[in-house]
Every structure is written in C-alpha cells, then in structure tokens.
Amino acid sequence: MKKRITVLCIFALLILMLISCNKEQGIHKPENSIDATEHGVLTENSGKENSKNLQSLIDSLSEKGGTIYIPSGEYEFAENGTQTIGSHCIKMKSGVSIVGDGENTVLKPKGNSKYGLDMFYFNDYLDTGEGKYLENCRFERFSIDASATSCEVYTSAGKGFMFNLFRNCQWDEVTVKNTDATGFGVDCPINSSIKNCLAIGCGKAASEENGGASGFGIGFGYSDGESITISECISKNNKKFGFFFEHQGRFNSQKYTATSSHDFLVSNCNASGNLYNFGGIYAMNTEYSHCTSEGARKHGFYFESSLASGATLCESKSETDAAFAISQVGEYSVCGIYFEKCSALGSPIGVKVVSEGTATMSDNSVKNCSFEGISDYAVYTSGRISSLTLFNNSSDMNVNYFEAEISAFENAENSWN
C-alpha cells in the first residue's frame, strides 16, 4: 500500500513539475486563437509548404480577423510571392495577428533571391498605387532569424517586417536578426507601437554606404498625423542605424508629401555596435528620451538634414567618433535639432556640428549636457551655420574646435569656456 502511495506521489510530483516547466517556457496559447500547426505549418515541412499554408490561413481570416498561434519550434519559410522590389514569404492582412511562444518560436525565411526576401510584407501603395492601410495587427512573442537568406542585389527588400502604411498595429517581444536589409522596416505608421523587441545583426547584405540596413527603420511622410512609439527595445550590431527615422519624400517627392503633425517617440531603448546608434536622416518631430548608446562605430546620436528632432535625458558611452552629432548635407536644411540634459562618457568628441551643403543650418541647440572623458574636443564645428546655441554645458575637456562660420552663436554659461 505504501509503495502504491509513493508511486502516486511521485507521479503527481512529475505532473506538477511538467506544468511548472511549461509555464516557465512561456507556453501560453491565447484564448480563441488558431493553432498554425493544425493548418499545416510544421517544423518538419519545407519552407514552401509552410509559407503556402500560413498564407492560406491568414487569407481565410482576413475578413473576420483572428489570432494565429505558432507553438515552440523552428519553422522554415520560403518565397511565396513577389512585389515591386524583392519577394516575400507572407503577405499580411488586416485584423490578423501572429503570436508565438517566446524565443522558442523561431521563423526562418530561407533562400537566395535577386533583390531580397521579406518575412512579413505589406505595401499595396508601392505595388498597386492604392493607399490602403494594414490595420489592427499584433505580433507577439516570436523570433525571425534570416541567417539563411541572401540576395544578389541589395535593395530595401530583405526585411523581417516590410510594411508601408499601417494603422493600430503593435509589436511586443519580437526579435529580428540577420536580415539582408532592415529588421523592423515599417513605414508611415499611425497610432502604433513597438516594445520589448530586439534587432540584431540586420543589414548583412549592405555596405555602410547603403541606405536602410538598420535595426529599426521608420519611414514617414504619406499623411499628416503619423505616429509610433518605440519603448524598451534593443538594437545592436546592425550595419547602419540602431534606430532611425526618415522622410520618404527623399525617394519619391510626389507620393510622400506630408510634412506636419508627426509624433515619433523612442524611449528607454538601448543601442550598441551600430554605425549610428540613434538618429535620423530627413527626420521630423522625432524624440529620443532616456535612451542609452554605447560603442557606436561612428556617432552615438546622429541627425542629418533633419527638423525639430533631438534627444533628452540620454546617455552616450565610448563612441568611435562623436557622442552627439548634427550634419547638414546637400540642399536639405537642418533646423531645430536639440540635445538637452544628455551625458557623454569616453568618446573623442562630445558634440559635432558640421555643415557640408548649401541649405540653412539654424536653431540647433545643446543645453544642460555633460561630457566627461572626452579625448579630442568637447565641441567641434565646421562649415557655414546660421545659428547655434550652446548653453550651460560642462566638460572636463576644455579644448574646442570652432572652425564654423556661425552667424548667430550663443555660447554661454558653459564650463568649457
């Protein structure tokens, strides 16, 4: 009798341990979700089969909406459709969400393509000219590993997410790594968010001279009122930027004409090992708050030809060139860039402001910042600058390089004076 009780106790304990283990592994199928493995998305399938079956499931849900659950495992995907530039595994539809089991759910796009292979794609505006939005989608708790993709020609394709025009979409606990182009390449958002996400080693097919090729790259400019928040995310060792914003009018000024009412906030994020960790090219109304940059291969925070953007309460550590940098290139103005209440530690240059073009460079400011362990210059300026304010900053480096012709220069209450 005692032996039977002992066996039952051990059996019960094993069940409890299994339940506990499952909880620790994050096994949590959402209520009312559809299990993708019951619709032919299987770890043992070929990429072609999985792409076809997942696309069919998404298409079947596109009218009524729904959540697709992908359990733990590694799932291969392959080219399942073409687009104006590149090809994709899956084309998303409004109202459909993808939820996994955390880092144990790995989606692996695979194969060589001429212009790049996107895992998830939506861009009817580019393909058909119709300004249609992807709406009400969630992406949660899974990874995309594109280490098995390659392309013959680097373009903007080859992303984990390649979306253009989307509304009310959210990402949470998603990792994208080893893509040929940008990891999270999502353009023209409205009321959307990305949080607790990672981008690692993206842009592998690009050179540092190419565009895009970043961890998180947000394009904008289709309509007024575009907005997205990015929080608690990490971006490291990507070819170009860790996090950046750019106006799409630089590529197509006829289609992307909006210039106002944008709201882009990146907060409590970390970036390291990117060429530029945070910033923007032709950015507008972009703010980085409480972000940490470390070990950029060039600048920690960098804005080129941008407007009304900047960083507050951010840290920059051990960058290769400048902790904070502003650049004006070509015929595009750079106005209203600010760095406030920021700190830098251990970079050659604290702040670098350079004008290399012919447009206006004005109303840029660095206020209430501290720069310690700077090896070359606390402040470096060159070119023609309309106006620049340096106010109440401090540095243990008292050497500055003021080569620029600055029409209106406020250089007051700084300890490096």
Side-chain angles (χ1 to χ4, degrees):
M1 184 68 178
K2 288 183 179 179
K3 186 175 182 181
R4 172 183 267 180
I5 293 173
T6 300
V7 172
L8 289 173
C9 289
I10 292 173
F11 183 67
L13 180 61
L14 288 172
I15 292 175
L16 289 172
M17 290 175 64
L18 181 60
I19 292 172
S20 175
C21 182
N22 286 345
K23 287 181 179 179
E24 289 176 2
Q25 291 178 1
I27 297 176
H28 36 264
K29 182 177 183 290
E31 290 186 16
N32 302 317
S33 63
I34 297 173
D35 191 326
T37 61
E38 297 175 1
H39 294 264
V41 181
L42 304 171
T43 57
E44 61 267 28
N45 274 357
S46 70
K48 282 286 187 182
E49 292 174 297
N50 280 337
S51 291
K52 179 181 177 182
N53 292 336
L54 182 56
Q55 187 68 65
S56 294
L57 183 54
I58 289 171
D59 293 346
S60 70
L61 294 173
S62 61
E63 289 189 9
K64 62 180 180 180
T67 297
I68 298 171
Y69 167 69
I70 306 179
S72 297
E74 292 190 358
Y75 302 82
E76 287 189 358
F77 293 87
E79 179 181 318
N80 189 47
T82 58
Q83 53 219 39
T84 301
I85 298 175
S87 55
H88 60 264
C89 300
I90 301 297
K91 183 173 181 179
M92 284 305 301
K93 301 293 179 67
S94 291
V96 181
S97 296
I98 308 292
V99 177
D101 242 347
E103 61 182 11
N104 296 315
T105 297
V106 183
L107 313 184
K108 302 190 73 171
K110 184 177 181 180
N112 176 265
S113 59
K114 185 172 183 179
Y115 296 116
L117 176 64
D118 299 316
M119 179 62 215
F120 291 104
Y121 176 81
F122 182 88
N123 194 345
D124 282 359
Y125 190 42
L126 180 63
D127 293 339
T128 69
E130 182 183 359
K132 181 180 177 182
Y133 277 80
L134 178 71
E135 300 186 76
N136 304 315
C137 297
R138 291 181 298 111
F139 304 92
E140 298 180 3
R141 300 192 297 271
F142 63 86
S143 297
I144 297 172
D145 183 355
S147 56
T149 64
S150 60
C151 62
E152 298 172 20
V153 179
Y154 174 77
T155 66
S156 59
K159 300 176 179 178
F161 297 90
M162 199 294 193
F163 294 165
N164 187 26
L165 277 62
F166 62 99
R167 181 188 288 116
N168 301 326
C169 293
Q170 288 81 40
W171 286 257
D172 192 3
E173 295 185 43
V174 175
T175 296
V176 179
K177 56 186 178 180
N178 305 318
T179 52
D180 287 329
T182 296
F184 295 79
V186 288
D187 297 341
C188 305
I190 294 177
N191 190 35
S192 296
S193 66
I194 303 174
K195 63 180 181 178
N196 303 312
C197 292
L198 283 76
I200 303 171
C202 298
K204 71 178 190 289
S207 71
E208 290 184 351
E209 286 70 43
N210 289 131
S214 301
F216 297 82
I218 314 299
F220 64 94
Y222 177 72
S223 67
D224 291 339
E226 292 174 343
S227 64
I228 192 169
T229 60
I230 303 176
S231 60
E232 307 291 342
C233 293
I234 296 172
S235 188
K236 59 184 181 180
N237 301 328
N238 302 292
K239 188 61 64 73
K240 202 69 175 280
F241 279 89
F243 300 82
F244 89 113
F245 291 77
E246 65 178 349
H247 197 291
Q248 297 301 286
R250 66 183 293 213
F251 307 112
N252 191 322
S253 58
Q254 285 73 43
K255 285 189 173 184
Y256 298 92
T257 59
T259 58
S260 63
S261 301
H262 306 282
D263 185 13
F264 304 131
L265 174 63
V266 180
S267 64
N268 298 292
C269 292
N270 295 280
S272 61
N274 308 286
L275 184 65
Y276 310 108
N277 282 337
F278 297 91
I281 300 178
Y282 307 95
M284 297 179 186
N285 302 314
T286 298
E287 181 177 4
Y288 294 99
S289 175
H290 294 88
C291 293
T292 300
S293 167
E294 184 167 8
R297 302 194 308 277
K298 195 165 186 181
H299 305 319
F301 293 80
Y302 173 63
F303 287 97
E304 177 184 313
S305 302
S306 298
L307 306 173
S309 300
T312 58
L313 296 165
C314 291
E315 294 182 300
S316 178
K317 305 175 184 178
S318 304
E319 321 296 8
T320 301
D321 192 339
F324 301 91
I326 305 170
S327 177
Q328 188 272 315
V329 179
E331 299 177 356
Y332 293 90
S333 297
V334 51
C335 302
I337 305 301
Y338 58 87
F339 299 119
E340 297 184 4
K341 299 180 181 179
C342 294
S343 64
L345 177 65
S347 299
I349 299 172
V351 179
K352 191 171 189 177
V353 184
V354 176
S355 177
E356 299 176 342
T358 58
T360 302
M361 191 174 194
S362 64
D363 300 321
N364 303 301
S365 63
V366 182
K367 299 179 180 180
N368 305 306
C369 295
S370 65
F371 307 98
E372 305 296 330
I374 303 302
S375 59
D376 294 346
Y377 305 103
V379 179
Y380 178 105
T381 68
S382 68
R384 296 179 59 187
I385 300 172
S386 300
S387 63
L388 175 66
T389 297
L390 306 175
F391 178 78
N392 197 35
N393 302 291
S394 64
S395 176
D396 57 359
M397 166 60 72
N398 60 7
V399 176
N400 295 309
Y401 185 83
F402 292 130
E403 184 193 60
E405 298 176 19
I406 306 176
S407 302
F409 187 22
E410 181 182 352
N411 184 19
E413 301 187 31
N414 301 295
S415 68
W416 59 59
N417 288 349

